[in-house]
Amino acid sequence: SSHEHKLNFRKSKEACLSYIQDALLQKQWKRAAEFLACYVESLEKDYSREHIGPSEMIWRVGTEILWHHSQSSMKEFNCFMEQMKTLGVKRYLKVCLEHVFHLLCNGQIDEAYQNLSLAESWRFGEQTAIQDKEMKLIEAYRGLLDYYSWSKQKNILLEHSEDGFSDLSVEQEMHGYFRKAAVNLKEIIKIPGVWDVFVKCLVDLLEFYGDHDEARQVLNEYAYNSKFPANPNAHVYLYQFLKRQGESKKSLISALKILHDIVPSHELMIDFNTMLQKSKKRKKRRLGLEVIFAALDYAGWKENAKAWSCLARQVKQIVTSEKHLDWIKQEWNSRKDWWPAFHFSRYLAKRNWQENKNLSCEKALVAGILLGKDCKYFKYVSHQGCKAQLKRFRMLKKFVNRHNPAYLRISG
Amino acid sequence: QDEILCNFWRCYLQKSKQAYCKRPAGETVKALSVCESSTDVDSDPERPSLLHLLSLSESDGDLQTDCSFASSVSKVSDSTSVYSGSVDGSLYSMKNQKEKLRMTMPMTLSFCYMALLWLREPITLSELLRFVVEGHIPYLNVFQHFPEKMKLCGLDLRIFCVESWPVYEEVFNKMHELAAFLDLPRFPDITDSCFLHPDMLCMKYLMEANLPDELHNWTCRVVKKIGIGEVDFLTLMPGNKSTRKVKYDVLAAAVIVVVLKLLFLLDDHYEWLLSDFAEERNKNNTEGGPYFEFKKWYEVVKQSLDVEQKKLDEERAKYLWRCEKPLFYSVKNKSKVLKRRQMVVNLQNQFGKLSGSVRRAEKPNPSSFQLSWSEENTDGSCFHGHSLKGVLQEKCGLLTAMNPDYWLCTVKLCNEKLCGHLAHYREVEFPQSYHFVLGLFSFLLRIQPSYIHDEVCMIEHKLFNKKLYKKLKYNTVLRK
């Protein structure tokens, strides 16, 4: 007969672990500690083949408990982390790094810096090569803390220069931090990954010292190198940099193009559309229409008056010129089934009118053109607007009525 | 009991030819520790002197130089990595299909139980195993009690380093194999004045399950009717393959379950109806004790059971398997093991302090009863004195059960020799009340409900023997 119900070491510890998990989920730190104290003897049998072995489990669980437990001190926490570092050499740098994060969360920047420096000097045979990635991260974070120190010095310097002092020692310290920071930050961003915070700091440094070419190179690499994971922020940073540099609309537009592809609902789409609308090139204007329609597909933009005003402006312009009505028709084709309920219901008409008259006016124009003057939204809003004797609504009504044929062409 | 045990042990050594003339000391000292660990908790342990034992063993044992001894030495010298502190540790680890009765930690318990049975001590196998798990009998880290000279390392670890709790069936089966192997004669009789007799055990379990004392009449009737109280049935006759081996504790529990089924049917309907009926009658009941109400009993017992089960589950999760004295395979990894041990102790202290509760320093004394109910409680939570009149009726001057029906757990019994069980228990196929009752005794005896279910099936088939072979295939509900 099988003895699957037999209680043995492994099952006992598995049960113990599930009690720990429950306690953690319910934030019962004392109870979790009680069971963890019973679990730790798993270390003496640490050759399990599970995905996460006992030593890693103890490290992670213990960290959580000590971090949140009311009676646990930072001193105890640090002591525990030091023990964990000795437990698994394959995890040494990871543990160091996470310890540093906790120190930073606790505001202990100096201790964090010390730990990072200590970890940087760690060598352990072939493990050093295996844990190369963690080492790069450690160097990068030290670079980040150097940037932070640089930033502090820079502020002191600016203050002093305002007061008319010139402080050579501060300046020299500042340059020193810059050099240290730049070296490490440049290293980490060579590796494909998401390094937003490092990139921002590096670009800040480079811009301060006037090295715009290198900054541009860094940002281009970060945004366009296919080895790096698709990251909307990379394009945002590039765009912001180019704007600061006063680059031409052409380069600004090309910077935002990929952002539109990856995140059509990004808040910069308004800027993007605005630039595109004004372009002399037909293709760009066409793209602009596409961009603004795409943005308004997202629920988060439903009440965004600025977005609606962009769309309204462009629609108005197209309708007035009577050229490229087919553009609107194309965009509307895939949306005519669901936009009416999504944006132009009677309920929304009422609500928009009550909450935001601007919004309702812009939307009404769009609705009037896309759905005709008899649609619910337009009728309600324009009626309310004229009743309230607001000039813009009278003009709105006139415009839509006059251009009703355009609607007919779009819908037909 | 020590003498009995030692006699058994010597006999075993003889039979399995494990006594070597060159180094008998290792074996006999092992025997000594086993003896020490088997002493009943209540009595004072008698410790025979080591010398006495040594001399006995040397003179009585079959001390031939076994040829296997010589071969084992050569094997040890071939593989230098194989290292053990005892002479035959390596032999033990080599898988030998023929020798099924090699000594293991659970086997030590089989020896103990055998000795206890021989002496007809008032302790059942389930109790013995419970005491082991609760730590009253050294088992888990028994090497802590070894004399200084015996150093445990290498392959011995696999034998003495316990990583699981012994299972009832395993210990039970091995004991019977052992008894046959040692060619023991018929054991001393188990009569109706013995603790292990079903009537006695039923009394104990009825008390512990908080059931009315009056049920004892019924259990005795069932026992008598199917003949399981007979001396010949109960007494162990080693080597006799035709008789079914008796699990005294499980049997008694099963009898109670059958009696409950007889009186209350336990089909998830009738017992509650009956309970309501008894409740009504209780309102007009002024004389004597209250009538037993199944519903009230269920609520009280379930509550206690849930609490105790939860405690037990947590205890199981909190077991500490290691002790202060660490084990190591060889001198090489001694320092590593010691460092680990130190770290474990540090972490235990650190998190122990944060746990907020004080761990019991003293282990409570071993107790025979896990659940206790006192008649002095005014909340009416003790049902011992309750009367069964609520579920009985008078017929021809005799009190019989109001319940006319009975359902069999299984119409056909399995062949135990083929599949190891008489029946296969699956919770979903049976009424909840039945499952609850099985669960209650399963908790008390610390065994799986299916074991009790097997015995219940066996009893039912004996009880309704005639009717079963007369009836046609359709009926699973019989009229009494």
Side-chain angles (χ1 to χ4, degrees):
Chain A
S1 60
S2 67
H3 295 303
E4 302 145 347
H5 53 270
K6 195 156 132 165
L7 184 67
N8 55 22
F9 184 91
R10 191 179 56 87
K11 285 204 188 138
S12 170
K13 292 307 168 199
E14 269 174 22
C16 192
L17 205 56
S18 71
Y19 277 104
I20 295 178
Q21 276 177 333
D22 283 344
L24 286 180
L25 285 170
Q26 294 173 47
K27 304 200 201 265
Q28 293 170 328
W29 309 114
K30 286 204 173 87
R31 193 169 150 86
E34 188 184 345
F35 280 94
L36 184 62
C38 301
Y39 181 78
V40 292
E41 54 170 23
S42 305
L43 281 179
E44 291 177 298
K45 239 195 113 119
D46 199 354
Y47 47 82
S48 57
R49 267 166 256 137
E50 277 120 53
H51 183 58
I52 298 182
S55 55
E56 184 166 352
M57 194 62 83
I58 291 171
W59 164 47
R60 294 213 182 271
V61 170
T63 307
E64 281 309 298
I65 295 176
L66 287 173
W67 189 245
H68 291 109
H69 197 291
S70 51
Q71 282 163 17
S72 153
S73 65
M74 208 53 202
K75 186 168 157 214
E76 259 194 64
F77 185 83
N78 291 334
C79 175
F80 174 74
M81 291 307 256
E82 293 304 322
Q83 277 188 303
M84 292 297 106
K85 286 176 192 171
T86 66
L87 251 191
V89 72
K90 288 189 191 152
R91 232 180 291 122
Y92 179 78
L93 288 180
K94 220 195 273 190
V95 177
C96 283
L97 200 55
E98 297 229 357
H99 187 197
V100 163
F101 292 156
H102 280 102
L103 288 169
L104 288 174
C105 287
N106 203 39
Q108 292 175 283
I109 304 193
D110 291 330
E111 282 86 351
Y113 195 86
Q114 274 168 24
N115 271 294
L116 283 171
S117 306
L118 206 66
E120 259 185 289
S121 59
W122 180 76
R123 299 283 178 272
F124 200 96
E126 59 176 27
Q127 279 298 319
T128 328
I130 295 172
Q131 296 184 44
D132 177 59
K133 290 212 175 92
E134 284 86 347
M135 186 57 94
K136 283 258 160 30
L137 272 175
I138 287 179
E139 288 166 354
Y141 276 99
R142 195 174 66 74
L144 192 67
L145 291 184
D146 284 328
Y147 167 83
Y148 177 68
S149 305
W150 171 86
S151 181
K152 276 201 292 193
Q153 298 298 76
K154 182 186 81 167
N155 289 337
I156 295 175
L157 202 67
L158 288 173
E159 266 177 39
H160 286 187
S161 67
E162 273 173 23
D163 299 336
F165 297 133
S166 81
D167 203 327
L168 203 65
S169 62
V170 168
E171 210 179 312
Q172 275 181 345
E173 250 192 275
M174 196 181 91
H175 294 325
Y177 282 127
F178 159 68
R179 275 189 289 272
K180 280 200 282 188
V183 162
N184 282 338
L185 292 175
K186 283 188 208 173
E187 271 305 303
I188 191 81
I189 64 175
K190 284 187 196 156
I191 307 172
V194 179
W195 308 123
D196 288 355
V197 69
F198 299 134
V199 165
K200 274 179 93 169
C201 296
L202 181 59
V203 167
D204 189 26
L205 286 171
L206 292 170
E207 275 190 289
F208 181 82
Y209 285 94
D211 199 347
H212 303 292
D213 287 333
E214 179 146 18
R216 184 198 307 265
Q217 204 181 13
V218 163
L219 287 168
N220 273 318
E221 259 296 291
Y222 194 50
Y224 296 122
N225 187 339
S226 54
K227 290 204 194 108
F228 281 68
N231 183 355
N233 291 335
H235 301 274
V236 173
Y237 297 156
L238 178 61
Y239 169 77
Q240 286 168 340
F241 170 78
L242 294 173
K243 209 167 162 191
R244 283 197 296 272
Q245 298 293 305
E247 296 272 330
S248 68
K249 283 280 186 303
K250 188 170 167 199
S251 52
L252 289 178
I253 285 174
S254 77
L256 285 179
K257 176 85 178 53
I258 302 186
L259 185 60
H260 162 69
D261 288 335
I262 345 176
V263 189
S265 59
H266 199 278
E267 57 182 5
L268 282 176
M269 291 302 107
I270 293 187
D271 290 21
F272 194 32
N273 168 270
T274 311
M275 283 193 286
L276 288 168
Q277 267 192 47
K278 295 191 195 147
S279 168
K280 295 204 180 75
K281 299 250 174 76
R282 197 189 324 154
K283 254 193 178 170
K284 295 247 163 57
R285 292 200 306 272
R286 175 72 186 87
L287 179 62
L289 193 67
E290 189 186 314
V291 164
I292 195 68
F293 262 104
L296 285 168
D297 280 340
Y298 290 87
W301 288 74
K302 273 168 100 165
E303 320 240 306
N304 192 322
K306 196 129 197 295
W308 283 105
S309 83
C310 284
L311 179 58
R313 190 176 344 127
Q314 199 162 10
V315 163
K316 204 165 168 187
Q317 191 266 324
I318 290 172
V319 161
T320 319
S321 72
E322 290 185 17
K323 277 202 278 194
H324 307 300
L325 279 168
D326 55 310
W327 289 358
I328 302 184
K329 187 167 177 176
Q330 279 164 20
E331 289 301 324
W332 186 235
N333 230 353
S334 57
R335 291 174 171 94
K336 62 181 180 220
D337 292 327
W338 60 283
W339 264 42
F342 191 57
H343 286 302
F344 304 126
S345 67
R346 190 172 153 77
Y347 166 74
L348 279 173
K350 273 181 158 179
R351 212 177 85 181
N352 293 154
W353 169 255
Q354 274 168 0
E355 291 174 2
N356 190 342
K357 303 224 174 5
N358 257 345
L359 176 69
S360 62
C361 185
E362 306 287 2
K363 275 180 81 172
L365 186 126
V366 178
I369 299 297
L370 294 174
L371 293 169
K373 62 181 167 62
D374 293 322
C375 81
K376 292 180 270 200
Y377 196 93
F378 175 76
K379 268 174 95 170
Y380 181 85
V381 170
S382 60
H383 175 71
Q384 292 293 326
C386 292
K387 218 169 64 171
Q389 300 202 340
L390 295 168
K391 185 167 170 206
R392 7 178 350 195
F393 287 88
R394 271 210 308 271
M395 289 174 58
L396 165 71
K397 194 164 183 186
K398 268 201 218 154
F399 181 85
V400 171
N401 280 323
R402 197 183 329 141
H403 292 282
N404 203 43
Y407 154 66
L408 294 171
R409 279 174 66 187
I410 291 166
S411 64
Chain B
Q1 316 79 305
D2 291 341
E3 280 214 26
I4 308 287
L5 203 53
C6 290
N7 283 331
F8 282 154
W9 178 247
R10 259 183 274 128
C11 191
Y12 168 74
L13 288 175
Q14 269 184 294
K15 291 275 175 176
S16 56
K17 300 199 180 140
Q18 287 178 55
Y20 302 112
C21 60
K22 282 199 183 170
R23 289 274 299 277
E27 288 292 345
T28 48
V29 176
K30 253 196 249 177
L32 177 61
S33 63
V34 167
C35 289
E36 282 180 358
S37 66
S38 75
T39 51
D40 190 66
V41 208
D42 292 324
S43 63
D44 289 311
E46 295 171 285
R47 291 160 188 266
S49 69
L50 176 58
L51 289 168
H52 175 67
L53 261 179
L54 263 173
S55 54
L56 276 177
S57 145
E58 275 175 29
S59 55
D60 284 329
D62 204 6
L63 306 169
Q64 306 160 341
T65 328
D66 209 289
C67 53
S68 56
F69 173 71
S71 58
S72 77
V73 167
S74 61
K75 279 198 186 109
V76 168
S77 56
D78 279 342
S79 49
T80 45
S81 55
V82 167
Y83 183 75
S84 91
S86 69
V87 173
D88 50 357
S90 57
L91 247 192
Y92 270 78
S93 351
M94 285 191 275
K95 292 216 184 244
N96 189 346
Q97 293 295 325
K98 289 180 204 164
E99 271 198 66
K100 287 187 203 156
L101 282 180
R102 240 177 301 129
M103 203 59 199
T104 57
M105 281 309 284
M107 277 277 274
T108 63
L109 292 175
S110 298
F111 266 101
C112 290
Y113 179 55
M114 200 162 67
L116 289 168
L117 186 59
W118 185 275
L119 292 168
R120 296 177 289 180
E121 289 283 341
I123 173 169
T124 60
L125 179 55
S126 51
E127 270 183 309
L128 175 70
L129 293 178
R130 181 163 62 85
F131 288 157
V132 167
V133 169
E134 287 175 359
H136 304 297
I137 297 175
Y139 182 84
L140 189 59
N141 290 308
V142 70
F143 51 85
Q144 279 184 296
H145 305 279
F146 281 179
E148 265 304 305
K149 280 189 285 181
M150 284 180 71
K151 292 262 183 268
L152 215 61
C153 51
L155 292 166
D156 295 339
L157 285 186
R158 261 202 251 172
I159 304 168
F160 283 99
C161 203
V162 169
E163 294 263 312
S164 61
W165 291 119
V167 173
Y168 186 104
E169 279 230 320
E170 192 184 336
V171 176
F172 183 78
N173 290 335
K174 280 288 183 226
M175 188 214 76
H176 286 274
E177 276 184 51
L178 200 58
F181 178 73
L182 296 178
D183 278 334
L184 291 177
R186 180 181 159 115
F187 273 52
D189 286 347
I190 307 273
T191 60
D192 51 17
S193 56
C194 281
F195 177 79
L196 293 174
H197 192 274
D199 288 340
M200 296 288 258
L201 281 178
C202 279
M203 190 70 233
K204 174 178 190 266
Y205 293 145
L206 282 171
M207 273 180 71
E208 206 168 354
N210 202 12
L211 288 166
D213 297 338
E214 281 182 30
L215 280 172
H216 191 241
N217 300 333
W218 290 83
T219 63
C220 291
R221 276 170 71 179
V222 170
V223 167
K224 186 139 187 219
K225 179 124 197 208
I226 59 178
I228 58 174
E230 299 302 311
V231 172
D232 289 331
F233 176 82
L234 291 172
T235 310
L236 175 61
M237 188 63 209
N240 187 344
K241 296 220 171 115
S242 56
T243 55
R244 191 160 184 274
K245 319 254 183 331
V246 182
K247 296 177 180 145
Y248 304 101
D249 35 20
V250 188
L251 186 63
V255 167
I256 300 178
V257 173
V258 170
V259 164
L260 288 175
K261 278 177 78 178
L262 282 169
L263 293 179
F264 299 98
L265 189 56
L266 297 186
D267 66 345
D268 283 345
H269 291 295
Y270 190 76
E271 64 271 23
W272 308 111
L273 289 175
L274 211 55
S275 180
D276 290 338
F277 186 61
E279 194 184 346
E280 277 303 309
R281 282 173 76 174
N282 252 335
K283 286 187 187 150
N284 303 327
N285 179 27
T286 44
E287 30 134 306
Y291 296 139
F292 176 75
E293 289 173 49
F294 187 86
K295 189 167 168 191
K296 283 216 178 93
W297 173 81
Y298 176 85
E299 283 168 1
V300 168
V301 170
K302 181 161 179 27
Q303 193 177 27
S304 295
L305 187 62
D306 284 347
V307 167
E308 294 300 315
Q309 184 71 57
K310 185 162 174 239
K311 265 199 253 175
L312 181 65
D313 289 339
E314 285 197 11
E315 281 301 309
R316 282 185 172 151
K318 289 202 270 189
Y319 276 143
L320 290 179
W321 296 78
R322 300 268 186 267
C323 63
E324 288 87 47
K325 194 170 167 183
L327 300 169
F328 23 85
Y329 266 91
S330 63
V331 182
K332 266 194 285 178
N333 72 349
K334 179 174 177 176
S335 62
K336 188 172 168 196
V337 168
L338 286 176
K339 258 209 277 183
R340 268 287 153 105
R341 181 75 215 157
Q342 189 56 48
M343 174 167 302
V344 167
V345 168
N346 285 344
L347 288 171
Q348 278 176 338
N349 286 337
Q350 185 171 27
F351 288 103
K353 273 192 231 138
L354 292 176
S355 68
S357 63
V358 181
R359 259 183 107 80
R360 284 192 318 252
E362 299 284 321
K363 259 193 303 222
N365 287 332
S367 65
S368 202
F369 285 85
Q370 296 173 74
L371 298 172
S372 62
W373 317 91
S374 170
E375 300 237 357
E376 278 135 29
N377 280 356
T378 48
D379 56 1
S381 62
C382 180
F383 294 84
H384 295 155
H386 285 217
S387 158
L388 288 178
K389 286 211 201 95
V391 303
L392 298 175
Q393 61 195 356
E394 266 210 51
K395 251 189 190 172
C396 319
L398 281 175
L399 282 175
T400 56
M402 276 164 54
N403 170 36
D405 296 330
Y406 195 89
W407 54 271
L408 286 178
C409 284
T410 174
V411 177
K412 190 158 187 254
L413 292 177
C414 269
N415 186 342
E416 201 168 17
K417 291 201 174 67
L418 285 179
C419 69
H421 288 282
L422 283 176
H424 299 271
Y425 178 67
R426 281 198 8 234
E427 185 189 331
V428 295
E429 292 170 6
F430 290 90
Q432 284 293 299
S433 301
Y434 179 70
H435 178 69
F436 173 74
V437 167
L438 279 191
L440 172 60
F441 288 105
S442 166
F443 170 80
L444 290 175
L445 300 180
R446 305 292 165 90
I447 55 176
Q448 294 293 96
S450 50
Y451 288 174
I452 308 177
H453 180 75
D454 272 4
E455 296 294 307
V456 169
C457 291
M458 186 270 287
I459 293 172
E460 285 177 350
H461 274 250
K462 280 202 184 175
L463 201 55
F464 299 110
N465 197 0
K466 294 193 205 104
K467 296 215 174 116
L468 266 174
Y469 289 103
K470 267 196 221 162
K471 276 298 178 185
L472 301 166
K473 47 195 171 210
Y474 297 111
N475 285 351
T476 47
V477 175
L478 305 175
R479 297 252 150 207
K480 286 205 286 271

